[in-house]
Amino acid sequence: MCTMTLQLTSRQFNILAFIRQRLERDGEAPTLEEIGQAMGIPSVSAVLKHVRSLEAKGRLVVEPNRSRGIRLVQEVDPLAADTLELPLVGRIAAGEPIFSESRVERSLYVSRWLFRLKPDYLVRVIGDSMRDEGILDGDLVAVHATPVARHGQVVAARVAGDRFTIKRLYWKGDVVRLLPNSPGYQPIDPDPTEDFAIEGLFAGLVRGS
């Protein structure tokens, strides 16, 4: 099972989860056009390519000449132990923890094997200050929620009350800095008089969702 799970991309996991949700809600599969609208894929041919890949990997069957002819292979549950449902957190208000139920935009189904730590939620990256760490603008970063971090770890932190950032933590003695890893960006030195908190550890990322 693990080998098959690792073969699925995050986009394929999300398509599979959407098909399952529509089957459970409506009793019939979505059309390729409806899948494209839900996933933000404008090309029907691109949707069909993803669906055919899922069929080749044994996750579903496409019945010919039927617009709603997608059928899941029941022996493999896409929402089983190898899959996580993670909330995507939107805009964060000052004074609130980063993860708040009121800030959840939607949930994504992703493979647990994408992550080095157990993730609790996802946040979208804005900017490229950690580009050389492989964290790009628009990526969804998975956060393992914890207020505890060690020197050298990549953390999710709150700075000045309402700024959320992903940076590498420098912490030696009384010196705390948040270090970027991309040319042209300066370290952040948290002001001890302002709201600063470690909200979690970088657990991995999802790209293309």
Side-chain angles (χ1 to χ4, degrees):
M1 163 111 32
C2 292
T3 300
M4 180 175 289
T5 300
L6 282 169
Q7 293 175 345
L8 295 189
T9 66
S10 60
R11 177 61 63 91
Q12 289 167 355
F13 264 95
N14 292 336
I15 289 174
L16 199 60
F18 175 71
I19 293 170
R20 179 183 174 116
Q21 289 168 349
R22 287 292 299 270
L23 283 166
E24 292 178 345
R25 190 190 74 184
D26 301 336
E28 61 181 7
T31 64
L32 295 177
E33 290 82 359
E34 289 168 344
I35 295 172
Q37 291 172 1
M39 297 293 111
I41 307 173
S43 169
V44 172
S45 62
V47 175
L48 180 59
K49 183 178 179 180
H50 285 298
V51 170
R52 289 298 186 191
S53 294
L54 288 166
E55 184 178 34
K57 293 170 182 178
R59 295 306 182 97
L60 53 78
V61 174
V62 179
E63 298 178 359
N65 304 318
R66 291 186 58 194
S67 64
R68 300 183 184 274
I70 297 173
R71 178 169 53 84
L72 294 183
V73 177
Q74 297 301 317
E75 293 79 27
V76 179
D77 184 353
L79 306 183
D82 288 338
T83 307
L84 298 173
E85 180 182 5
L86 295 178
L88 173 60
V89 178
R91 184 175 176 82
I92 304 154
E96 290 188 356
I98 286 176
F99 179 66
S100 169
E101 293 291 346
S102 64
R103 301 296 170 187
V104 174
E105 293 183 352
R106 58 192 174 103
S107 293
L108 297 177
Y109 293 97
V110 293
S111 169
R112 69 172 61 250
W113 305 108
L114 294 172
F115 309 109
R116 62 189 72 180
L117 297 173
K118 181 182 181 298
D120 293 292
Y121 55 90
L122 300 166
V123 291
R124 191 178 300 278
V125 174
I126 300 174
D128 61 355
S129 66
M130 294 293 281
R131 184 178 63 233
D132 291 349
E133 294 278 355
I135 302 172
L136 307 180
D137 184 46
D139 283 349
L140 302 183
V141 164
V143 178
H144 172 69
T146 175
V148 179
R150 299 190 307 272
H151 171 76
Q153 291 184 302
V154 176
V155 300
R158 177 189 298 283
V159 184
D162 60 355
R163 291 174 55 202
F164 170 76
T165 189
I166 301 288
K167 294 289 185 292
R168 189 168 292 280
L169 178 65
Y170 178 97
W171 189 355
K172 289 193 174 181
D174 295 330
V175 179
V176 177
R177 308 188 85 189
L178 299 172
L179 306 179
N181 194 352
S182 185
Y185 289 88
Q186 298 300 315
I188 297 173
D189 297 309
D191 187 332
T193 66
E194 296 180 330
D195 182 18
F196 167 72
I198 300 296
E199 297 276 359
L201 301 176
F202 172 76
L205 60 81
V206 177
R207 183 165 294 156
S209 294

